[in-house]
Amino acid sequence: MKKILGLMFLISAFSLTAFAQKNMENMENMKKAKPTEKDKTEAIPGGGVLKRGAAIGKSKKVSLAKVMANPNDYAGKMVRVEGIIVRSCKMEGCWMELAPSKDAKSVRVKMKDHAFFIPLNSAGAAAKAEGVFGVKTLNKTEVDHLINDDGAKFDNRNADGSVTEISFEAVGVELKRKTK
Ligand SMILES: [Cu+2]
């Protein structure tokens, strides 16, 4: 009898946890902001800059190449970086792949909390961003979504489809179209 009670307790505790988790996910999705038409299509100027998110402050400037070489030295600290946007989210403009130069390896920059967005045609523009580096593992579902829906590319998928990558949570960005 004790065993059965214990088992029943375990099962109900487990389903309650699953229920709570599902509810949290739903709430997350509901409070996720959506980009407006202006967010998606505003032109990136060549003369001035297009600012999105918080104004960029005076945190330490670091080079993307150095961060990629030693990501753990920079994790968790607010810093400023700059680079060229190699690719960006085609759906909502919620991330961009930022590289030191056009053909170099890039870092995924996510607009923090999905709270602000960059134009959908941001690729090719120069960007400054302020935020925090971290090393993150994206599961297979997240990676598939980024590839199939958002137009991302990964050259480093693990056997199970997941990806561990350096990521940057931006609180603010400034974009500028390169003029030649
Ligand atoms: Cu997106």
Side-chain angles (χ1 to χ4, degrees):
M1 190 59 187
K2 253 192 180 165
K3 261 190 187 162
I4 293 175
L5 274 177
L7 193 65
M8 278 172 69
F9 174 77
L10 266 180
I11 289 171
S12 54
F14 180 77
S15 47
L16 264 178
T17 314
F19 178 74
Q21 219 157 32
K22 195 78 209 145
N23 256 359
M24 293 250 293
E25 271 168 30
N26 285 343
M27 272 162 63
E28 282 296 310
N29 284 337
M30 269 163 60
K31 74 169 189 243
K32 255 192 181 181
K34 292 270 173 232
T36 64
E37 219 28 54
K38 184 180 173 228
D39 287 338
K40 291 186 191 173
T41 59
E42 193 172 5
I44 299 170
V49 289
L50 177 66
K51 298 179 182 185
R52 292 286 171 85
I56 291 190
K58 292 265 176 272
S59 62
K60 191 176 169 19
K61 247 190 184 174
V62 298
S63 94
L64 275 176
K66 278 189 184 168
V67 174
M68 284 189 263
N70 290 301
N72 292 326
D73 291 357
Y74 298 91
K77 295 174 206 148
M78 182 71 77
V79 293
R80 277 184 293 160
V81 292
E82 58 181 75
I84 302 293
I85 303 175
V86 177
R87 262 180 296 277
S88 67
C89 175
K90 297 248 188 319
M91 288 282 284
E92 300 189 308
C94 65
W95 56 262
M96 59 183 175
E97 293 172 24
L98 198 63
S101 60
K102 215 180 69 175
D103 299 310
K105 227 171 139 355
S106 64
V107 164
R108 188 170 320 282
V109 173
K110 287 182 128 179
M111 311 311 141
K112 189 172 192 292
D113 298 334
H114 211 262
F116 65 96
F117 306 92
I118 60 172
L120 300 189
N121 71 345
S122 290
K128 289 184 182 174
E130 184 165 47
V132 178
F133 278 106
V135 178
K136 268 194 186 161
T137 298
L138 308 170
N139 66 36
K140 182 180 184 301
T141 314
E142 290 169 314
V143 174
D144 285 343
H145 163 72
L146 281 167
I147 293 173
N148 299 329
D149 303 324
D150 287 0
K153 276 193 183 163
F154 294 91
D155 51 14
N156 50 350
R157 293 192 81 165
N158 301 320
D160 65 356
S162 68
V163 168
T164 303
E165 64 173 10
I166 303 171
S167 70
F168 185 82
E169 294 246 304
V171 293
V173 299
E174 285 181 6
L175 310 184
K176 185 178 188 163
R177 195 57 79 183
K178 284 265 182 195
T179 44
K180 277 181 209 135

